[in-house]
Amino acid sequence: MSSLVRHTTVDCSDAYALARFWAEALDGTLADDDHPGDPEVTVTSAGANLLFIRVPEGKSVKNRVHFDLQPQDRGRDEEVERLLALGAKTVGDFRRPDGTGWVTMTDPEGNEFCVERSAAERAATE
């Protein structure tokens, strides 16, 4: 049997705060034993399991791996607005007049991720 990816690990300066952002973004939950100040915090969601680990050094370069989010119950533009309200920032807008494209954002610690069109939006342009 092959290996499975148990979770994706993200280095950060405040594991609890960043995990709370991603739990909200992904409609996920934190583990019952995770608390502010913990060096490791886990987020479980339908689409991914994430582990946030506090490290002393800050982010210094572009991510080599990033998340591509696909909204499940709203459109891309609505999801971008929701994530902005949670504390994300837009760093690149690649939406096209025909409705295709994506938005590149950063989480509160500057980790890049993209928001793509929902499955319904994709089906409408095919």
Side-chain angles (χ1 to χ4, degrees):
M1 176 164 200
S2 62
S3 295
L4 299 174
V5 175
R6 182 169 172 225
H7 42 61
T8 301
T9 302
V10 178
D11 292 350
C12 56
S13 63
D14 186 336
Y16 187 80
L18 195 57
R20 284 188 55 195
F21 169 84
W22 281 103
E24 286 287 324
L26 301 175
D27 194 26
T29 59
L30 303 182
D32 291 337
D33 61 348
D34 287 332
H35 304 286
D38 284 353
E40 296 181 6
V41 179
T42 303
V43 172
T44 303
S45 73
N49 293 318
L50 307 176
L51 175 63
F52 296 87
I53 297 180
R54 183 176 59 221
V55 297
E57 65 276 354
K59 182 178 178 300
S60 61
V61 297
K62 182 181 182 295
N63 296 4
R64 293 192 63 180
V65 175
H66 68 269
F67 302 125
D68 286 336
L69 304 184
Q70 183 183 50
Q72 299 300 297
D73 59 352
R74 62 183 59 90
R76 175 199 55 215
D77 297 345
E78 292 172 282
E79 183 68 351
V80 166
E81 292 304 315
R82 187 181 77 86
L83 294 166
L84 287 169
L86 291 175
K89 292 184 174 28
T90 300
V91 295
D93 193 333
F94 303 95
R95 292 177 277 197
R96 297 182 193 106
D98 67 357
T100 61
W102 66 94
V103 177
T104 301
M105 304 183 83
T106 58
D107 68 20
E109 289 204 11
N111 300 300
E112 297 91 0
F113 64 95
C114 294
V115 181
E116 300 180 346
R117 296 177 297 154
S118 68
E121 289 171 311
R122 287 178 178 276
T125 60
E126 293 178 353

